[in-house]
Amino acid sequence: MLSKRIIPCLDVREGRTTKGVKFQNNVDIGDPVEMARYYYEEGADELVFYDITASAEKRGIMLEVVRRVAQEIFIPFSVGGGLHSFRDMDAVRMAGAEKVSVNTGAVMNPEIIRRGATAFGNQCVVLGMDAKYVGRRPGIRSGYEVYTHGGRRAAGLDALEWARRAEDLGAGEICLNSIDADGTQSGYELTITRLISTHVSIPVIASGGAGTPEHLVDVLTKGCADAALVASMVHFGGYRIRDLKQHLHDRGVKVRMTW
């Protein structure tokens, strides 16, 4: 059995790490380069960097920040936000990211998933998906709808159907963020996490809602996720990465211990 991964997420706006609740009321919490180095030294398995307003502001991602972060860490590093073309994806890879995460750009042009997977390998292309429960209705059979532009626009896509299509196009991983749970620290949204995880054959990273170590246990076991994204619970000093891993280990969840 593969080890479960713990992945800190850095949401970046105007060159600073920020965090909000349900994609609103974001506050400044620090320098992304310093935070990336800290989490690397703490034993994080990977790191995710999102330029959270790049798509909404219709601009490219801040490559200089990506370069600086890549110089400080030696673990897989995924970057997303504002990637709308193969050229954007290639630029992020050249700046030092091992993986590219496409969300709004992939909804607008699904073929960039296939092109990125062909050029870089499936393992380098992550589908970033922001989903919200809207109830079952025509076109949204699962009850969960995909949102784009940093959670601002409903895409009219069913989350499960979009996950399956992205896998067929070549995505090697899905980072699934629940808008309903984002930043609440009240637990991951297990229903959609389990739904997606059990209907695709590629790894699923659960995102949104982590507040206690037991929430990670739940999403990695009951939610069937392969990895857990953490933000607020580590950004604000409540928990350390190594403490989370120790808790998972003690609860019988296989994780990579580096100390």
Side-chain angles (χ1 to χ4, degrees):
M1 181 177 67
L2 294 175
S3 296
K4 303 290 188 176
R5 292 168 287 152
I6 306 301
I7 307 174
C9 176
L10 303 181
D11 289 339
V12 178
R13 180 175 61 185
E14 297 177 356
R16 300 284 294 178
T17 307
T18 182
K19 193 71 189 83
V21 176
K22 298 184 180 181
F23 287 32
Q24 298 179 2
N25 302 317
N26 287 64
V27 295
D28 185 299
I29 58 174
D31 177 74
V33 179
E34 293 178 0
M35 294 179 72
R37 183 171 57 247
Y38 169 74
Y39 290 131
Y40 163 64
E41 294 171 349
E42 276 283 294
D45 297 296
E46 297 185 20
L47 193 71
V48 168
F49 166 99
Y50 287 132
D51 188 335
I52 61 172
T53 58
S55 288
E57 294 172 359
K58 298 181 180 180
R59 60 170 173 76
I61 201 164
M62 292 174 285
L63 292 177
E64 183 54 36
V65 177
V66 177
R67 293 188 187 95
R68 291 169 56 211
V69 170
Q71 292 171 354
E72 296 291 336
I73 64 174
F74 302 94
I75 52 176
F77 176 34
S78 176
V79 174
L83 307 184
H84 294 282
S85 67
F86 176 77
R87 179 177 295 180
D88 294 335
M89 297 164 72
D90 188 49
V92 165
R93 289 269 296 157
M94 293 299 292
E98 283 83 6
K99 301 179 182 182
V100 291
S101 180
V102 287
N103 187 328
T104 299
V107 171
M108 296 172 65
N109 177 21
E111 281 301 312
I112 68 171
I113 298 175
R114 191 192 310 277
R115 187 167 182 195
T118 300
F120 312 132
N122 301 69
Q123 75 283 356
C124 294
V125 180
V126 180
L127 175 71
M129 184 195 303
D130 296 321
K132 183 177 182 179
Y133 184 73
V134 296
R136 291 182 175 86
R137 62 193 190 203
I140 310 294
R141 292 189 295 174
S142 72
Y144 291 90
E145 186 172 6
V146 174
Y147 277 65
T148 61
H149 297 83
R152 295 170 177 83
R153 299 185 191 176
L157 292 174
D158 179 81
L160 178 56
E161 293 179 3
W162 177 226
R164 286 171 160 171
R165 185 182 179 195
E167 180 181 15
D168 290 341
L169 287 167
E173 196 166 54
I174 295 172
C175 186
L176 172 64
N177 186 58
S178 166
I179 295 175
D180 300 303
D182 181 76
T184 64
Q185 299 190 65
S186 59
Y188 294 91
E189 217 280 32
L190 299 182
T191 301
I192 187 174
T193 304
R194 183 168 51 246
L195 178 69
I196 301 295
S197 297
T198 57
H199 283 85
V200 298
S201 60
I202 56 179
V204 172
I205 304 168
S207 172
T212 71
E214 201 62 20
H215 289 157
L216 276 70
V217 174
D218 287 343
V219 81
L220 295 172
T221 55
K222 299 174 185 177
C224 304
D226 299 276
L229 217 68
V230 292
S232 297
M233 67 183 301
V234 292
H235 292 341
F236 297 112
Y239 296 94
R240 297 175 62 181
I241 298 295
R242 60 182 62 204
D243 295 334
L244 298 179
K245 286 192 169 186
Q246 187 64 56
H247 182 85
L248 289 168
H249 174 77
D250 293 344
R251 296 282 274 107
V253 179
K254 185 178 180 182
V255 292
R256 183 178 66 93
M257 308 289 276
T258 57
W259 55 91

